[in-house]
Amino acid sequence: MAIRKKSTKNPPVLSHEFILQNHADIVSCVAMVFLVGLMFEITTKAAVIFVTLQYNVTIPATDRATETLSFYYYGIKDLATVFFYMLVAIIIHAIIQEYVLDKINRRMHFSKTKHSKFNESGQLSAFYLFSCIWGTSILVSENFISDPSILWKSYPLTLMTFQMKFFYISQLAYWFHAFPELYFQKTKKEDIPRQLVYIGLYLFHIGGAYLLNLNHLGLVLLVLHYFVEFLFHISRLFYFSDEKYQKGFSLWAVLFVLGRLLTLILSVLTVGFGLARAENQKLDFSTGNFNVLPVRIAVLASICITQAFMMWKFINFQLRRWREHSYSQPQIVKKKSTVTKGRSSRKEKENGVNGTVTSNGADSPRNRKEKSS
């Protein structure tokens, strides 16, 4: 992300600079089209597909349940809902950037590199914090803490609560919105491949958990991963304000490794043991059952490869920091030695000058008179 330079001249309409400066307003107008469509009977059916969650199933009240329950399953119409909330994510991104991050940047006077990293960490830390709180509330409401066996029990869980489905729709919408943000934020060409891999991994795993009905496992792993990532980005924000702040990175390094271990343990426990022992192990698209050996191997392989890739990047990052720290220490020692040498040379010069003054004072006319007397 590069720094936005505000120019006094108004760029031509629909030009490159015009779109970059007013992309939030343009996207807001597009989103308003769908909202206005809800007001008219002719366009209501089309607008509802974009704005509200689809594939609703209502279970009537029984003797055990006194209230009617509403559940949802996924379908092709969810792509329209993801598109609408992708527009909402772009608008929220622009609001946070303009009214929070830009004001802080003006006060702190960051360099171009720190400016882009500060914006990235500011946006992601807000998203990770919100997602962690939301995901934790869903897990608590569905009694995951008291009964962790819901990760594999009564699979396939094709029916989702409103909060569960809306969470996954929002997650997909947010990471899809990151693609146009690469253009809106003027991302450097050398940073685009890294960002594409980063975004692609999120979409691959979130979409896989959503389509394979591994909703609870995906939710637990997302909350765990988002908490660790939130700690990293909030530590980087504090580091930009005060470069002496390093404690947050040390805590993040420990939790990052623990997070990878917990991810592997939960994945193997759920897919490798829980689903492998289930009675129904037949591939059935109509019921949403994907509990077969090839799918389980593919799920575990994708998770293990991703965790290994993240650990490899983490080790390289720590080695680079260690090299930079070890390289900077000799320079500090050299600077200190040159400073001490300079001080000692100055003292020697001062002592030499004092010696010449005292020696010259011994041959002064006053001393000669004293000697002759």
Side-chain angles (χ1 to χ4, degrees):
M1 293 181 234
I3 300 173
R4 298 179 184 175
K5 296 182 179 178
K6 293 185 178 180
S7 58
T8 55
K9 296 181 180 179
N10 293 325
V13 179
L14 297 181
S15 64
H16 175 70
E17 289 296 329
F18 178 84
I19 294 174
L20 292 178
Q21 291 181 11
N22 303 285
H23 71 273
D25 299 328
I26 297 171
V27 173
S28 299
C29 293
V30 177
M32 285 298 296
V33 171
F34 296 106
L35 295 177
V36 172
L38 296 173
M39 301 171 62
F40 301 97
E41 187 177 356
I42 301 175
T43 58
T44 299
K45 292 183 179 180
V48 164
I49 298 174
F50 289 89
V51 178
T52 61
L53 299 182
Q54 302 299 305
Y55 305 106
N56 182 19
V57 175
T58 303
I59 299 177
T62 58
D63 296 336
R64 294 181 180 179
T66 57
E67 298 180 357
T68 58
L69 302 176
S70 295
F71 293 96
Y72 297 84
Y73 60 95
Y74 67 82
I76 192 65
K77 293 180 182 180
D78 290 341
L79 294 175
T81 312
V82 169
F83 174 76
F84 175 78
Y85 286 99
M86 181 189 72
L87 302 179
V88 176
I90 294 173
I91 298 169
I92 296 174
H93 186 111
I95 292 172
I96 295 174
Q97 183 67 41
E98 183 174 355
Y99 293 100
V100 179
L101 298 178
D102 285 346
K103 291 183 178 181
I104 298 174
N105 284 322
R106 288 167 194 160
R107 293 180 181 178
M108 301 300 293
H109 302 287
F110 291 128
S111 61
K112 289 185 178 179
T113 305
K114 285 187 176 181
H115 187 279
S116 61
K117 291 182 179 179
F118 181 85
N119 289 339
E120 180 184 5
S121 294
Q123 294 285 350
L124 290 175
S125 59
F127 169 72
Y128 288 145
L129 178 62
F130 176 75
S131 298
C132 279
I133 296 172
W134 189 8
T136 304
S137 66
I138 296 173
L139 291 175
V140 171
S141 64
E142 299 199 3
N143 299 322
F144 169 77
I145 298 175
S146 60
D147 186 15
S149 62
I150 63 172
L151 291 176
W152 61 84
K153 190 169 60 177
S154 60
Y155 179 87
L157 299 172
T158 54
L159 297 180
M160 297 173 281
T161 61
F162 174 84
Q163 291 292 333
M164 178 72 79
K165 179 165 183 175
F166 193 39
F167 179 85
Y168 273 94
I169 293 293
S170 301
Q171 294 296 314
L172 293 171
Y174 181 86
W175 291 111
F176 271 116
H177 110 281
F179 287 116
E181 286 295 339
L182 296 176
Y183 170 72
F184 294 146
Q185 301 298 327
K186 298 181 181 179
T187 306
K188 296 179 181 179
K189 290 183 179 180
E190 57 268 19
D191 293 336
I192 290 178
R194 178 181 66 86
Q195 294 286 345
L196 291 177
V197 172
Y198 190 72
I199 298 166
L201 285 174
Y202 274 109
L203 289 174
F204 175 75
H205 287 88
I206 295 172
Y210 186 65
L211 295 175
L212 296 177
N213 294 316
L214 296 170
N215 305 316
H216 290 94
L217 177 62
L219 180 59
V220 173
L221 297 183
L222 274 178
V223 170
L224 178 63
H225 176 73
Y226 282 171
F227 176 74
V228 178
E229 290 296 302
F230 167 74
L231 183 60
F232 170 75
H233 287 285
I234 201 69
S235 300
R236 192 158 74 163
L237 291 177
F238 283 114
Y239 173 77
F240 289 145
S241 60
D242 184 9
E243 293 186 354
K244 295 181 181 179
Y245 182 83
Q246 298 285 344
K247 295 180 180 179
F249 291 112
S250 301
L251 180 61
W252 164 76
V254 175
L255 292 179
F256 183 88
V257 177
L258 293 177
R260 306 287 70 78
L261 291 175
L262 285 174
T263 299
L264 291 175
I265 291 171
L266 289 173
S267 301
V268 173
L269 182 65
T270 303
V271 181
F273 291 95
L275 295 180
R277 295 177 180 179
E279 296 180 358
N280 188 6
Q281 296 190 17
K282 294 182 180 179
L283 183 63
D284 190 355
F285 292 98
S286 60
T287 59
N289 186 14
F290 300 95
N291 186 16
V292 291
L293 182 61
V295 175
R296 292 199 302 270
I297 293 174
V299 170
L300 286 177
S302 62
I303 294 174
C304 292
I305 291 171
T306 303
Q307 302 308 306
F309 173 74
M310 293 175 67
M311 280 300 301
W312 178 69
K313 299 285 287 184
F314 172 77
I315 293 170
N316 288 333
F317 173 74
Q318 294 296 331
L319 289 175
R320 186 171 63 251
R321 283 189 64 198
W322 177 75
R323 289 172 184 172
E324 291 175 355
H325 181 68
S326 60
Y327 177 74
S328 62
Q329 278 186 344
Q331 290 184 343
I332 295 171
V333 173
K334 287 181 181 178
K335 288 181 180 180
K336 288 182 178 180
S337 61
T338 53
V339 170
T340 53
K341 286 181 180 179
R343 290 178 180 176
S344 61
S345 61
R346 287 178 185 176
K347 288 182 180 179
E348 290 176 357
K349 287 181 180 179
E350 290 176 357
N351 292 330
V353 171
N354 292 331
T356 54
V357 170
T358 54
S359 63
N360 290 334
D363 294 333
S364 62
R366 184 177 178 182
N367 292 334
R368 288 176 184 175
K369 288 180 181 181
E370 291 177 354
K371 286 180 180 179
S372 60
S373 63

